[in-house]
């Protein structure tokens, strides 16, 4: 491995250390701010370190065909140390502010959704319910008036159909007698 490739590898590993430090701070702040259960932390730690190893070895294969030397670890350590010494505090502050902004935006969107959608839909439902009740009340009222207005017509029809009543009455009696006969026959046959 030539000297320029070694320097390029050292700088690439320092950049990886810097990025891994930033990702670690983001992960740490998010897990605290979002109240991740403690029993999930080991699994997330394992995922973080697996992703870090994949990133480092991917960069190593691009820069120097995946050769691991002592200066690779020195570059990673130096990049992480530079990150934690310089901008770690600001990065943590920015991540906290971003999470607070996301919560604020979520609360605002929830209130806006309630004002723009839920409240109008409830109002529309109440209005439809009110109109439906009003329509039903008016329909019942008009129906009762119509029945009262048609009462003389009913009496007239009853008077006009009185001669035919004598013809219909024997048929009613026949139906009752046939029903009674069928009931007795059923009892006799299906005892």
């Amino acid at each position: 491995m030539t000297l320029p490739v070694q320097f390029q590898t050292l700088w690439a590993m320092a950049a990886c250390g810097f990025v891994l430090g930033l990702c670690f701070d983001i992960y740490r702040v998010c897990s605290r701010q979002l109240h991740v259960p403690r029993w999930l932390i080991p699994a997330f730690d394992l995922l973080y370190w697996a992703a870090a190893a994949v990133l480092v070895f991917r960069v190593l294969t691009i820069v120097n065909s995946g050769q691991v030397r002592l200066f690779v670890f020195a570059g990673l350590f130096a990049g992480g140390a530079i990150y934690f010494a310089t901008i770690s505090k600001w990065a943590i502050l920015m991540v906290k502010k971003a999470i607070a902004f996301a919560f604020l935006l979520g609360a605002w969107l929830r209130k806006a959704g309630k004002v723009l959608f839920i409240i109008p839909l409830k109002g529309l439902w109440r209005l439809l319910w009110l109109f439906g009740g009003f329509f039903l009340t008016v329909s019942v009222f008009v129906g009762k008036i119509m029945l009262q207005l048609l009462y003389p017509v009913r009496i007239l029809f009853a008077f006009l159909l009185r001669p035919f009543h004598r013809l219909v009455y024997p048929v009613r009696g026949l139906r009752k007698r046939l029903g009674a006969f069928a009931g007795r026959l059923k009892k006799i046959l299906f005892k």
Side-chain angles (χ1 to χ4, degrees), residues 5-47:
V5 172
Q6 289 178 6
F7 276 117
Q8 187 179 7
T9 304
L10 182 66
W11 288 113
M13 288 301 103
C16 279
F18 194 87
V19 169
L20 290 178
L22 176 65
C23 291
F24 181 73
D25 274 346
I26 291 171
Y27 158 66
R28 186 173 50 152
V29 171
C30 286
S31 67
R32 286 184 186 154
Q33 293 290 320
L34 300 177
H35 305 291
V36 174
R38 294 189 61 83
W39 61 273
L40 283 176
I41 297 293
F44 285 137
D45 286 346
L46 187 64
L47 286 174

Side-chain angles (χ1 to χ4, degrees), residues 157-172:
F157 273 120
F159 178 73
L160 292 175
L161 294 176
R162 183 173 284 168
F164 297 108
H165 180 68
R166 290 186 183 150
L167 295 174
V168 174
Y169 185 72
V171 174
R172 283 188 188 167

Side-chain angles (χ1 to χ4, degrees), residues 124-146:
L124 181 64
W125 174 253
R126 288 180 182 155
L127 187 66
L128 289 174
W129 188 258
L130 179 71
F131 280 136
F134 177 73
F135 179 73
L136 184 64
T137 304
V138 168
S139 299
V140 168
F141 179 71
V142 169
K144 285 183 178 182
I145 289 175
M146 292 300 292

Side-chain angles (χ1 to χ4, degrees), residues 21-171:
L22 176 65
C23 291
F24 181 73
D25 274 346
I26 291 171
Y27 158 66
R28 186 173 50 152
V29 171
C30 286
S31 67
R32 286 184 186 154
Q33 293 290 320
L34 300 177
H35 305 291
V36 174
R38 294 189 61 83
W39 61 273
L40 283 176
I41 297 293
F44 285 137
D45 286 346
L46 187 64
L47 286 174
Y48 169 77
W49 288 111
V54 168
L55 172 73
V56 168
F57 285 113
R58 180 71 182 138
V59 170
L60 269 177
T61 55
I62 292 171
V63 174
N64 71 353
S65 301
Q67 295 180 12
V68 179
R69 304 273 173 95
L70 184 60
F71 61 86
V72 168
F73 297 107
L76 283 171
F77 179 75
I82 290 170
Y83 167 77
F84 285 112
T86 56
I87 65 168
S88 176
K89 291 178 185 176
W90 290 310
I92 290 171
L93 183 65
M94 293 305 291
V95 171
K96 284 182 179 178
K97 287 189 183 281
I99 291 172
F101 177 74
F103 280 134
L104 184 66
L105 182 65
W108 183 83
L109 287 174
R110 192 169 38 249
K111 285 181 184 177
K114 185 176 181 181
V115 168
L116 293 176
F117 298 111
I118 303 298
I119 292 174
L121 286 175
K122 281 183 178 179
L124 181 64
W125 174 253
R126 288 180 182 155
L127 187 66
L128 289 174
W129 188 258
L130 179 71
F131 280 136
F134 177 73
F135 179 73
L136 184 64
T137 304
V138 168
S139 299
V140 168
F141 179 71
V142 169
K144 285 183 178 182
I145 289 175
M146 292 300 292
L147 285 175
Q148 291 296 325
L149 291 175
L150 291 176
Y151 185 72
V153 175
R154 181 178 152 222
I155 292 175
L156 179 65
F157 273 120
F159 178 73
L160 292 175
L161 294 176
R162 183 173 284 168
F164 297 108
H165 180 68
R166 290 186 183 150
L167 295 174
V168 174
Y169 185 72
V171 174

